[in-house]
């Protein structure tokens, strides 16, 4: 039930509401609370909420669909094992993405000499993560150009650009995800946008 408040104030969700609600109706914090009390189905709801977005981000970092899937699965497993460390007063998404992005950066470091972003693989893999548009041919053409440019940007700048401009995280949460101070993130974002603009203009210029 909802606790009645004085007129003009919103209703407050009680523990009884949380117990009766289906997972899709709960906040991330209440889902985490359920998981801590042994409700594994609640974690499935967290996976559903963030899986596609995390996959897309990791894929844009490493450029390989299969590797992105492996890294995403590893991130979800690590997050589950570390739930006792999660501060439920904060958002679950940035905390999860911090684990996933760190895993991708570690992977890139280990494969630095052998790894190259394959444009063809990036385009084919990205289609499985994005929702189809009315004109998929036009979308594929644009995606090809975007991924070509992203592949040219160093990973520390590319990561900030993707998290802020493509996934919509505020700079404060991007800072938490990449483990840097917010002014550093804003500076990297500025540089990344400049790099993207320069590379994009070179790419599309007749």
């Amino acid at each position: 039930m909802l606790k009645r408040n004085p007129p003009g104030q919103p209703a407050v969700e009680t523990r009884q509401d949380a117990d009766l609600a289906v997972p899709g109706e709960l906040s991330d914090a209440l889902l985490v609370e359920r998981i801590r009390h042994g409700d594994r189905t609640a974690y499935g709801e967290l996976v559903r909420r963030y899986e596609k977005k995390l996959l897309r981000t990791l894929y844009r970092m490493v450029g390989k669909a299969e590797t992105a899937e492996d890294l995403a699965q590893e991130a979800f497993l690590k997050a589950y094992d570390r739930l006792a460390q999660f501060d439920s007063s904060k958002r679950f998404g940035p905390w999860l993405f911090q684990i996933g992005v760190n895993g991708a950066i570690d992977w890139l470091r280990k494969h630095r000499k052998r790894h190259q972003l394959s444009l063809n693989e990036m385009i084919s893999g990205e289609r499985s993560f994005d929702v189809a548009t009315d004109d998929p041919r036009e979308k594929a053409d644009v995606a090809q150009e975007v991924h070509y440019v992203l592949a040219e940007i160093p990973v520390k700048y590319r990561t900030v650009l993707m998290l802020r401009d493509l996934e919509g995280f505020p700079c404060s949460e991007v800072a938490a995800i990449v483990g840097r101070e917010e002014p550093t993130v804003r500076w990297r974002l500025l540089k990344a946008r400049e790099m993207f603009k320069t590379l994009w203009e070179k790419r599309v210029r007749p």
Side-chain angles (χ1 to χ4, degrees):
M1 69 179 68
L2 290 179
K3 180 179 178 181
R4 291 186 176 275
N5 285 340
Q9 294 187 15
V12 176
E13 189 175 37
T14 66
R15 177 57 189 272
Q16 184 178 2
D17 295 321
D19 290 339
L20 295 176
V22 297
E25 298 172 346
L26 297 176
S27 66
D28 289 357
L30 287 175
L31 285 172
V32 170
E33 184 180 352
R34 276 193 172 190
I35 298 164
R36 287 171 173 170
H37 285 82
D39 183 358
R40 293 187 178 183
T41 61
Y43 198 65
E45 173 61 20
L46 285 177
V47 172
R48 185 193 67 78
R49 290 181 184 181
Y50 292 103
E51 182 177 29
K52 185 175 180 180
K53 191 172 184 178
L54 181 62
L55 269 173
R56 187 168 56 232
T57 297
L58 296 177
Y59 172 70
R60 284 168 172 157
M61 290 184 68
V62 302
K64 295 179 178 290
E66 185 176 351
T67 300
E69 291 169 0
D70 290 342
L71 290 170
Q73 183 178 25
E74 182 179 345
F76 279 114
L77 288 173
K78 285 183 176 179
Y80 184 84
D81 290 339
R82 300 174 186 176
L83 273 182
Q85 306 171 22
F86 174 64
D87 181 355
S88 57
S89 68
K90 299 180 180 179
R91 292 181 59 207
F92 178 81
W95 182 72
L96 170 68
F97 270 67
Q98 182 181 41
I99 295 173
V101 166
N102 285 341
I105 291 173
D106 288 343
W107 187 91
L108 287 169
R109 285 171 179 162
K110 291 176 183 177
H111 298 81
R112 181 175 297 168
K113 293 182 180 180
R114 292 176 293 162
H115 176 64
Q116 277 189 318
L117 288 176
S118 167
L119 180 60
N120 290 333
E121 185 175 14
M122 289 185 79
I123 297 164
S124 62
E126 179 71 10
R127 289 173 185 164
S128 66
F129 297 151
D130 280 349
V131 179
T133 62
D134 293 336
D135 189 350
R137 291 172 300 175
E138 180 180 349
K139 181 181 180 182
D141 291 340
V142 173
Q144 179 173 347
E145 301 301 325
V146 169
H147 285 307
Y148 183 90
V149 173
L150 285 175
E152 296 297 311
I153 298 176
V155 66
K156 69 178 182 180
Y157 299 103
R158 185 167 78 239
T159 302
V160 169
L161 181 66
M162 291 186 301
L163 291 171
R164 179 66 188 94
D165 289 353
L166 299 182
E167 299 303 338
F169 285 105
C171 283
S172 59
E173 292 184 348
V174 175
I177 292 170
V178 300
R180 293 292 184 269
E181 296 295 327
E182 189 171 341
T184 300
V185 165
R186 291 185 180 279
W187 182 84
R188 286 187 182 180
L189 179 61
L190 177 64
K191 297 298 292 184
R193 287 170 174 167
E194 290 174 352
M195 291 179 196
F196 187 94
K197 183 175 183 293
T198 299
L199 291 167
W200 180 265
E201 289 175 350
K202 288 181 179 178
R203 180 70 179 166
V204 300
R205 184 178 298 152

